[in-house]
Amino acid sequence: MHLKSRLALIGAASVVALVLSPSTAVADGGHNLIRGDLTPSLPGDAKINNIGPGTLPWILDRGEVRIRESGRMDVRIEGLQIPAGSFDPTVDFNPVASIDALLYCDGVQMADSGPQPMTVPGGDARFRVSVPVPSMCDSPSVLISPTAAVGKAYIASLVPMGDDDDD
């Protein structure tokens, strides 16, 4: 075989190997199923996925949820509290020591993070868990519920308006 033919064959094999190798997006869990900022609940808020808001108002310094198609759920919450005057007349306060993050697809609960610790009185939580994600999940949403009230009340939510960016 001539040198030019060998080089062409090696080049072609390299291209095939690159095409067949897994991409970094697949290696780190693929695209986002849902990603966005949490919104704290107020008593007059509408039901989401047939679940009503908590009976007291909540405030939030910062809250983010990201669930990848691979099932990796990342939740970061800072300062999820009941405002002063609602529970304690002088300070914002979080009385909830454990929360669950619930994934819904088309209004049906598909996954639960299980109980995760939240600081009292600060209202901070940060966790990463793996949850089962269905192959098809239309209209995904996430509710944050006190562990004692899973399926009964939410204190924060992520309900995207419109299409979610996959990146």
Side-chain angles (χ1 to χ4, degrees):
M1 193 183 265
H2 289 83
L3 181 58
K4 285 184 183 181
S5 297
R6 279 190 216 171
L7 290 176
L9 184 60
I10 291 170
S14 298
V15 169
V16 169
L18 286 173
V19 169
L20 295 178
S21 67
S23 69
T24 56
V26 171
D28 74 357
H31 296 282
N32 295 325
L33 175 64
I34 186 170
R35 180 181 189 175
D37 295 330
L38 289 166
T39 301
S41 72
L42 298 172
D45 286 348
K47 286 185 173 183
I48 301 173
N49 304 319
N50 241 3
I51 306 295
T55 58
L56 294 170
W58 289 81
I59 57 174
L60 177 64
D61 291 336
R62 180 179 173 186
E64 304 166 72
V65 174
R66 178 180 185 182
I67 302 176
R68 297 184 69 85
E69 291 172 341
S70 66
R72 187 178 84 192
M73 175 189 283
D74 294 297
V75 177
R76 182 178 182 172
I77 297 172
E78 295 175 10
L80 183 57
Q81 300 174 316
I82 297 169
S86 299
F87 187 74
D88 182 307
T90 59
V91 296
D92 298 339
F93 181 77
N94 167 45
V96 176
S98 180
I99 58 172
D100 285 41
L102 309 164
L103 169 66
Y104 289 80
C105 298
D106 269 335
V108 176
Q109 183 182 324
M110 301 304 289
D112 183 337
S113 68
Q116 302 295 323
M118 190 158 79
T119 63
V120 174
D124 300 334
R126 187 174 190 164
F127 55 91
R128 174 180 285 171
V129 296
S130 290
V131 295
V133 173
S135 60
M136 295 293 293
C137 182
D138 293 326
S139 303
S141 58
V142 176
L143 297 182
I144 303 296
S145 293
T147 296
V150 170
K152 299 174 188 160
Y154 68 92
I155 57 177
S157 63
L158 168 56
V159 181
M161 301 298 170
D163 292 333
D164 189 27
D165 186 350
D166 279 351
D167 295 327

